[in-house]
């Protein structure tokens, strides 16, 4: 909320509706996960048709995983580079992936 006071009320209200998809992935526990639960691993087991989207995104802007997205966020917030569009695309893909795993 400190970083986005304009949306603070809505963000705080949304917290109660959030839940950790990782718990559901662990519960179902498909064998191909081999104990791993990252969104990319889960996609391979639950929504394999979506796996290629991450490769396409990596080819387009270099954001292949959470670590790269975190580094880009730091650069974006520090004014070193405008990663706004790329970060939105990465977050949108992560959200679509979570829906794909849930379905």
């Amino acid at each position: 909320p400190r970083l986005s006071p304009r949306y603070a009320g809505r963000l705080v209200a949304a917290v109660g509706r959030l839940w950790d998809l990782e718990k559901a992935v662990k519960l179902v526990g498909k064998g191909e996960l081999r104990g791993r639960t990252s969104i990319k691993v889960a996609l391979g087991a639950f929504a394999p048709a979506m796996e290629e989207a991450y490769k396409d995104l990596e080819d387009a802007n270099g954001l292949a995983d959470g670590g790269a997205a975190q580094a880009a966020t730091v650069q974006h917030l520090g004014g070193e580079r405008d990663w706004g569009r790329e970060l939105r695309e990465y977050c949108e893909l992560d959200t679509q992936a979570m829906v794909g795993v849930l379905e």
Side-chain angles (χ1 to χ4, degrees):
R2 278 191 334 234
L3 296 176
S4 188
R6 178 177 176 190
Y7 301 105
R10 287 191 268 176
L11 291 170
V12 169
V15 170
R17 297 190 311 266
L18 300 176
W19 54 280
D20 190 350
L21 183 59
E22 182 181 32
K23 292 176 184 174
V25 169
K26 283 182 177 179
L27 183 65
V28 173
K30 292 193 172 196
E32 56 266 41
L33 295 176
R34 294 188 226 46
R36 299 175 305 156
T37 57
S38 75
I39 191 65
K40 287 184 181 179
V41 172
L43 268 183
F46 294 96
M50 292 188 68
E51 284 183 294
E52 192 63 28
Y54 278 98
K55 178 70 174 130
D56 293 344
L57 188 64
E58 179 181 13
D59 291 344
N61 64 30
L63 295 182
D65 57 44
Q70 287 176 347
T73 300
V74 169
Q75 289 177 349
H76 180 73
L77 294 174
E80 298 170 42
R81 178 175 170 192
D82 184 4
W83 282 94
R85 180 184 57 79
E86 292 91 345
L87 287 167
R88 281 188 295 278
E89 288 175 358
Y90 182 83
C91 291
E92 181 180 336
L93 181 56
D94 268 1
T95 301
Q96 291 172 349
M98 287 184 269
V99 170
V101 168
L102 188 58
E103 289 177 337

